[in-house]
Amino acid sequence: MALLEVKNYAVHFRRGGKPIRAVDGVSFTLERGETLGVVGESGSGKTTLFLGMLGLLSRHAANFRGSVRFDGMDITDPAAENIRTLRGRRITMIFQDPMTALNPYLRVETQLFEAIRRSEGASRMDLLSARRQAAALLQAVGIPDAAQRIRQYPHMFSGGMRQRVMVAMALAPAPDLLIADEPTTALDVTVRAQVLRELASAREQYGMAMALISHDIGMVARFAQTMMVLYAGRIMEMGPVTAVLERPAHPYTRALLACQPSLARRGDLLRAVPGAPPLDGAPERGCAFADRCGYAGDRCRAAVPEPIPARTGITGHITSCIRQEEGLW
């Protein structure tokens, strides 16, 4: 049994009488010890997908459909009691904006203590032990003089240091599943590598599964085993990282890879995907990428394409392009 099973999951926001399909029919599984890389442009639904599953989106603002099971437990209902017991203990998240995720009124140590005490068997940990563990966590993610700095408030840290505090808090309870939303955005290259090594080490040590949300396809290629390409709230392509990168089966994946800077194309202008993602999320009919795709025809706009096996024949490699069998690329 997979640790996380998501079937036909959807998050539709309400705006007047028209739904905004931010996430529309996403299905995937995540095994223990596996890292799933989630890529796509801003507005593709990457963060919304996981915030919805964790019950962190308002039920008054959105409708939720589909099913989500974690370790055999149904956590589909965002208001269910079991998701509250899992969140922050067995499932943690590194949020994209540490300035708004950290409480500005509490010292860093207080916020770390809360995360540490949610771990198994640590609810009665004494203050001295908790302080030592908090300092060790900060030291592990590259914050110098950690024993002194844990007494400070978030505004006394730089943006990169606040990001590292978020990483430490997410790792503190030794979770079964870590959702890392752009975990290295504010970090310089050296610290970025250190934080990524710490995340990889935690995955091996605890058998932790990880969903790595990022615009950095190179980082996903290095640390993930499976890659999911989202666009307008739908899966365009998914499969083993090497298969998706070396033999992409969807025009959107090919377009994203073409945008990546390359030393082999030194001096060339950076490529861009023409157009922009739809503001209202996935369309009611047709492929979400059709208006920006050079291969799109009438069939592509007639119905929502279902994920099908990619012509690579590699197990688990799927695509939502109905024209991939025509040998156009």
Side-chain angles (χ1 to χ4, degrees):
M1 179 178 63
L3 179 67
L4 181 67
E5 298 176 277
V6 181
K7 294 184 179 179
N8 201 30
Y9 188 71
V11 180
H12 292 179
F13 291 104
R14 307 184 188 102
R15 187 177 67 184
K18 184 179 180 181
I20 298 176
R21 298 175 178 86
V23 178
D24 197 52
V26 170
S27 300
F28 67 93
T29 60
L30 185 56
E31 303 287 346
R32 297 177 186 276
E34 180 186 6
T35 297
L36 170 68
V38 185
V39 302
E41 292 172 272
S42 296
S44 295
K46 305 184 297 297
T47 300
T48 301
L49 168 63
F50 290 97
L51 289 178
M53 292 192 313
L54 290 182
L56 297 176
L57 297 176
S58 171
R59 289 177 293 158
H60 302 292
N63 293 320
F64 304 90
R65 292 199 306 234
S67 68
V68 182
R69 298 188 70 85
F70 176 81
D71 201 13
M73 293 178 284
D74 187 354
I75 60 170
T76 305
D77 184 356
E81 185 62 31
N82 53 7
I83 185 60
R84 297 180 185 178
T85 61
L86 294 171
R87 194 170 55 214
R89 179 175 285 117
R90 296 188 63 192
I91 306 175
T92 61
M93 185 168 184
I94 301 170
F95 295 96
Q96 191 169 359
D97 185 0
M99 191 59 183
T100 56
L102 294 172
N103 190 325
Y105 293 100
L106 297 178
R107 299 179 193 271
V108 166
E109 69 172 359
T110 303
Q111 299 181 63
L112 274 167
F113 290 170
E114 181 180 358
I116 291 169
R117 285 171 174 161
R118 289 187 67 83
S119 62
E120 193 70 29
S123 58
R124 297 184 179 182
M125 181 180 292
D126 62 86
L127 180 62
L128 182 59
S129 298
R131 181 167 289 162
R132 286 174 178 167
Q133 187 170 339
L137 283 166
L138 290 189
Q139 193 75 37
V141 295
I143 294 183
D145 301 321
Q148 288 73 42
R149 301 219 65 177
I150 59 172
R151 295 284 296 162
Q152 296 178 336
Y153 291 89
H155 74 271
M156 303 170 77
F157 287 72
S158 68
M161 285 187 174
R162 286 193 293 266
Q163 185 76 10
R164 282 175 267 174
V165 171
M166 286 297 306
V167 173
M169 289 176 62
L171 293 177
D176 295 311
L177 170 62
L178 171 63
I179 301 166
D181 190 0
E182 298 286 2
T184 62
T185 300
L187 306 181
D188 61 46
V189 175
T190 304
V191 177
R192 177 174 176 266
Q194 183 177 353
V195 168
L196 289 171
R197 283 196 301 270
E198 189 65 24
L199 291 175
S201 175
R203 184 188 68 190
E204 296 176 5
Q205 183 178 352
Y206 307 129
M208 178 182 75
M210 181 163 62
L212 179 60
I213 304 169
S214 181
H215 293 282
D216 188 343
I217 294 178
M219 182 174 70
V220 169
R222 182 177 177 185
F223 288 94
Q225 292 79 52
T226 306
M227 184 171 171
M228 179 166 68
V229 182
L230 279 184
Y231 179 78
R234 292 179 185 161
I235 295 178
M236 298 291 103
E237 184 170 354
M238 183 166 61
V241 167
T242 52
V244 174
L245 294 180
E246 295 175 6
R247 301 179 67 184
H250 196 284
Y252 181 59
T253 309
R254 293 172 58 85
L256 278 184
L257 294 176
C259 293
Q260 299 299 302
S262 171
L263 291 176
R265 300 196 303 265
R266 181 177 295 180
D268 292 351
L269 292 175
L270 286 175
R271 303 178 188 180
V273 185
L279 295 177
D280 293 336
E284 187 175 357
R285 291 191 306 171
C287 174
F289 189 59
D291 289 342
R292 304 174 70 189
C293 179
Y295 301 101
D298 292 339
R299 284 198 307 143
C300 302
R301 295 178 173 87
V304 176
E306 295 291 332
I308 57 176
R311 63 179 179 174
T312 59
I314 298 172
T315 302
H317 190 189
I318 62 171
T319 178
S320 295
C321 182
I322 62 175
R323 303 201 66 185
Q324 62 123 8
E325 292 289 353
E326 299 178 29
L328 300 175
W329 59 84

